[in-house]
């Protein structure tokens, strides 16, 4: 009986399908699980590729941002102040009084004013040379003190520049800014070395002039003594003053 019922139901369904127009039956959708699963897998793969492309674009954008930071210039520069400090020191050295930092001028002075006294020199020439040497020594000491005062005056500027450069270096956003801050710190150290060299040179010049003046005065004193002991060999009665 049950078998007969199933056959009747199947017949009725078949009859119903046959009664549906051909065009309507052609529009019915047939579900294929395998095809559906393949389509889902393909869509998932395409979505993964899109995600990978998005991640790649994000990495490229981040790389460009970092490159922009690395290429950004340091907004602070101390080079102008450092150059001005060096120029002030150089100007003082170039303004050295009397015997300057010139090899030819030094050679001329030591072949005349600082040359050993000779018996043919008149007393007035000895006096003039002694006075010139004393004036040179005093000028050398004055120049040394001026250079030292300028170097000391630069210390406060150097301190301000160093503080600003260290702050800029610590806050650098990229490699170029950090490198530029480091280069400016090296420039500051170079400027300090220039000041130190200038101060040493000026002090050494003053000491050299003073020592040369003393040596020439001793030689001149011996010549004066010789003339005094040998009045018949051209000694003049004019009193020769000593300058130390």
């Amino acid at each position: 009986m049950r078998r007969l019922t199933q056959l009747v139901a199947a017949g009725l369904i078949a009859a119903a399908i046959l009664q549906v127009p051909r065009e309507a039956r052609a529009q019915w959708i047939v579900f294929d699980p395998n095809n559906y699963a393949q389509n889902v897998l393909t869509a998932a793969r395409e979505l993964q590729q899109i995600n990978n492309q998005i991640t790649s674009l994000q990495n490229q954008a981040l790389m460009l941002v970092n490159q922009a930071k690395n290429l950004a210039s340091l907004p602070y520069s101390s080079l102008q102040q450092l150059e001005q400090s060096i120029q002030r020191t150089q100007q003082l050295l170039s303004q050295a009084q009397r015997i300057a930092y010139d090899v030819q001028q030094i050679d001329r002075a030591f072949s005349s004013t600082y040359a050993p006294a000779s018996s043919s020199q008149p007393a007035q020439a000895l006096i003039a040379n002694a006075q010139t040497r004393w004036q040179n020594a005093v000028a050398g000491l004055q120049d040394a003190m001026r250079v030292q005062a300028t170097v000391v005056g630069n210390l406060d500027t150097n301190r301000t520049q160093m503080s600003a450069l260290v702050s800029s270096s610590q806050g650098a956003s990229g490699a170029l800014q950090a490198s530029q801050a480091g280069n400016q710190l090296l420039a500051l150290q170079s400027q300090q070395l220039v000041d130190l060299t200038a101060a040493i040179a000026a002090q050494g010049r003053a000491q050299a002039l003073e020592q040369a003046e003393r040596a020439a005065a001793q030689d001149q004193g011996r010549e004066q003594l010789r003339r005094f002991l040998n009045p018949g060999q051209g000694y003049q009665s004019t009193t020769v003053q000593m300058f130390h």
Side-chain angles (χ1 to χ4, degrees):
M1 187 66 182
R2 183 177 180 182
R3 179 65 175 172
L4 179 60
T5 302
Q6 291 178 346
L7 290 174
V8 173
L12 292 174
I13 292 173
I17 293 175
L18 291 175
Q19 292 177 1
V20 176
R22 184 185 300 270
E23 293 79 5
R25 286 181 295 177
Q27 295 178 357
W28 284 9
I29 299 175
V30 180
F31 177 75
D32 187 350
N34 293 330
N35 187 40
Y36 177 77
Q38 185 65 33
N39 291 335
V40 170
L41 182 60
T42 301
R45 290 174 178 174
E46 291 178 353
L47 180 61
Q48 182 63 39
Q49 290 179 352
I50 293 175
N51 290 333
N52 293 337
Q53 292 177 354
I54 293 175
T55 302
S56 178
L57 291 174
Q58 289 176 341
N59 293 334
Q60 291 180 2
L62 181 60
M63 181 178 65
L64 292 175
V65 171
N66 292 332
Q67 288 179 353
K69 290 182 179 180
N70 289 332
L71 295 176
S73 298
L74 190 69
Y76 178 80
S77 175
S78 64
L79 296 182
Q80 183 177 0
Q81 290 81 357
L82 297 179
E83 290 177 353
Q84 291 176 352
S85 298
I86 293 177
Q87 289 176 357
R88 285 194 297 268
T89 304
Q90 288 179 333
Q91 287 175 356
L92 279 180
L93 293 177
S94 64
Q95 294 171 2
Q97 305 174 72
R98 306 182 74 84
I99 301 178
Y101 299 92
D102 183 80
V103 175
Q104 295 180 352
Q105 187 176 0
I106 293 172
D107 290 341
R108 287 194 298 269
F110 276 81
S111 63
S112 57
T113 307
Y114 292 89
S118 63
S119 58
S120 61
Q121 286 180 298
Q124 292 299 331
L126 295 177
I127 295 175
N129 285 342
Q131 185 176 8
T132 299
R133 292 192 297 267
W134 176 78
Q135 291 173 345
N136 290 343
V138 173
L141 291 173
Q142 182 181 6
D143 290 339
M145 294 182 67
R146 292 177 64 196
V147 172
Q148 291 169 359
T150 300
V151 171
V152 172
N154 288 339
L155 292 178
D156 186 62
T157 302
N158 293 342
R159 180 188 60 79
T160 302
Q161 299 303 322
M162 182 176 296
S163 177
L165 287 172
V166 170
S167 299
S168 299
S169 176
Q170 291 176 344
S173 60
L176 180 59
Q177 289 189 359
S179 176
Q180 288 179 338
N183 291 337
Q184 292 190 44
L185 283 171
L186 291 176
L188 175 59
Q189 292 180 354
S190 299
Q191 184 266 325
Q192 293 173 335
L193 289 176
V194 169
D195 279 354
L196 178 61
T197 302
I200 293 175
Q203 183 64 29
R205 172 176 174 266
Q207 293 176 352
L209 289 173
E210 185 178 6
Q211 293 173 0
E213 191 273 333
R214 289 180 180 178
Q218 291 177 358
D219 179 74
Q220 182 174 316
R222 288 192 294 269
E223 175 61 21
Q224 292 171 354
L225 179 60
R226 186 193 66 77
R227 294 184 183 187
F228 179 79
L229 296 177
N230 300 277
Q233 297 183 6
Y235 172 73
Q236 300 181 12
S237 59
T238 303
T239 303
V240 179
Q241 301 178 5
M242 302 292 295
F243 295 90
H244 298 281

